[in-house]
Amino acid sequence: MYNHFIKKELGFLFESDESLNSFVSEYFSQLNSNVVTTDIDTFNWASVADDIYMVLGQTPLEVGDFVSVEIGSFYSCSGNPELIHVGELVEIPVENQDGDFVGSYKFV
């Protein structure tokens, strides 16, 4: 389902290719057909990753929480802002004894 641009920009956020594919499928299903492309990165998937990280950084989250991002009305097929389910958090960074955060965010 996804191309190498999507895998490069978003793959590290997902526990499996299946969970990445699920997110990408839902994302594509809500995009205006003039925006969708599968062979080049015209949509800028790095920006989608930034949107996900913005939600992660602004919300106190725990393992088991579900996260969504918004597609703006300009890009959505409905012409309205749409929430897209990213996934359930199965891993979050944790603070170690030195006060540093280790680990990463992972979704299923």
Side-chain angles (χ1 to χ4, degrees):
M1 171 67 193
Y2 53 82
N3 63 34
H4 68 280
F5 292 108
I6 298 169
K7 178 79 171 181
K8 176 184 168 200
E9 299 298 340
L10 298 175
F12 60 91
L13 284 169
F14 293 87
E15 189 172 72
S16 67
D17 287 348
E18 183 181 337
S19 56
L20 172 60
N21 191 40
S22 177
F23 169 70
V24 171
S25 290
E26 185 175 351
Y27 208 94
F28 277 149
S29 76
Q30 294 299 322
L31 285 178
N32 180 318
S33 62
N34 294 328
V35 176
V36 174
T37 182
T38 56
D39 53 359
I40 57 174
D41 188 26
T42 59
F43 190 70
N44 190 0
W45 289 99
S47 176
V48 175
D50 288 345
D51 290 347
I52 294 170
Y53 273 113
M54 185 169 40
V55 170
L56 294 173
Q58 294 179 350
T59 310
L61 296 166
E62 297 180 10
V63 169
D65 288 348
F66 291 89
V67 174
S68 297
V69 292
E70 183 179 287
I71 293 179
S73 57
F74 179 77
Y75 294 107
S76 75
C77 58
S78 70
N80 297 311
E82 297 290 340
L83 284 179
I84 304 299
H85 175 74
V86 178
E88 178 183 358
L89 279 170
V90 292
E91 182 181 328
I92 60 172
V94 293
E95 191 172 3
N96 67 13
Q97 61 193 18
D98 298 328
D100 298 323
F101 283 87
V102 295
S104 59
Y105 291 102
K106 290 281 185 193
F107 293 97
V108 291

